[in-house]
Amino acid sequence: MEFLISEKKVEEIQADCEFVIVIDGNLDHKWIKEKEDLETLSFEGKSEEVAFLPHQHRVYVGADSFDRDEIRLSVAQAVKSIKKSKYNSIKIGIYIDKCPVTNTKAIVEGIILGSYSFDKYKTEKSSCNIQTITISLEDYSEKKLGLAHAKKAIAEAQIVANVTNDAKEIVNSVPDDMTPAQLALEADKIANELDNVACFIGDENFMQEQEMGAFLAVGRASEHKPRLIHLTYKPKNPEAKFVFVGKGVTYDSGGLSLKPSEHMVSMKADKSGAAAAMSILKGAAELELPFEVHAIIGACENMVGGNAYKPDDVLVAKNGKTIEVRNTDAEGRLVLADCLCYAQELKPDYLVDLATLTGACVVAVGDYTTGVMGHSGKLKHEIMSSATKSGELTGSLPFNRYLKKLLKSSVADISNISSSRYGGAITAALFLDNFIEDENKDKWIHLDIAGPAFIEKDWGYNQAGASGAGVRMCLYWLKDHQHKLSNHHKKEA
Ligand code: BES
Ligand code: ZN
Ligand code: ZN
């Protein structure tokens, strides 16, 4: 899919079809040529409303406001309505509102995210026919806003949306294809494609050297051996160091604490945190952000077998803490414990883990929302406001000292499950907190993406299946961080 910029008026641009966004039911804009037809159709220009007029080669879509997610949703609806058509080229005009750059980004993101489909395993491919999208900046030129801004906005939005779709592709891939070794190859591909990106892949021997007793135990029963994947993006003179840690359980059967059949389906998505961390790193490198970024991925399969780890086992994590296993289905936290220890050796300024960690988080905040946890209110606030801009939904879940006590074990330093059935998303995060060094407490954020990472039905501009949860929010957060720094530098100058 190629995006072109034109300063011509929308009506002068050649294309098979035009997308027209109707803002807040206003049918009196110059781009609306079929007001009467729309009125006949009772099209009111409400959010998510679509009117496809094939003879006029126009798709009208409603948006309640210029809110970025309204714009993303509207264009994604437009794409959906013509997905099966033979149209190759599309044109669309950019409204000049308070922030035209924001609108431009939202349009590009909405089109790319909305046009994704997963057909890797279908005999008949259903991919979208759209090849070129011409964006008219007729109003940009009138207002002399400068094309450079628009070009940059389009390029950035393309990166963010494409790496989100990359994450979806990895998560949707079936466990027999996307094994830990294959996930490592995907990471290696990113490093080969990009300057300044390196990939290290550690096998079981490496993990043994690193004394990752918890991570090793989880992967032990699988035929597909675990990998510790470490991607690094290092630009010249980085201004800060960000480390993203991803849960890469390529399949979660539950282990000996086997999941019931209906809960096992879709557990191929238990590698969503890993896919997100890889895409964030790729995005950061493509955006050429001035930060050193690391993605640490614990890739393994949680299976049953004669040498499987068991409830009652006591594991020794990389930091020396002993863990009583009471449920082998609470495996993500064991993998992350060792990966977080490894990550902290890099002395990060910011440490973020992404994981489909608990069903309890889905119970708490619903399918669509990421649970945000951590000690630093400031950091949580930052990431959540960037998430909102990105179109991702978040909710904060609070720590407290009483929940922390529920992880006590009578035989080891800590148990891998809480003694209560309540507050499971938080107790899982508090388990991880045991592996965060004091000096890093305020640098750490835990994102539980168990809900939004994989949903069986279409929602908004997301298709059924993987959504790439975590990718856009973290990339927006990194971008916002960059803005803050450059404003700070300007003030100092
Ligand atoms: N991968 C699951 C969490 C999950 C559940 C992700 C639903 C996506 C959708 C995790 O490993 C798990 O099984 N957690 C258990 C923890 C429990 C045993 C304390 C859970 O949530 O039930
Ligand atoms: Zn599990
Ligand atoms: Zn899991």
Side-chain angles (χ1 to χ4, degrees), residues 252 259 329-331:
D252 183 9
K259 283 184 185 294
D329 197 13
E331 85 298 341

Side-chain angles (χ1 to χ4, degrees), residues 424-435:
I426 302 173
T427 49
L430 288 169
F431 176 91
L432 299 178
D433 180 47
N434 279 279
F435 301 89

Side-chain angles (χ1 to χ4, degrees), residues 247 249 251-252 259 267 270 302 329-332 356-358:
K247 172 178 174 183
V249 175
Y251 200 69
D252 183 9
K259 283 184 185 294
M267 278 303 138
D270 219 19
N302 188 20
D329 197 13
E331 85 298 341
T356 45
L357 202 63
T358 63

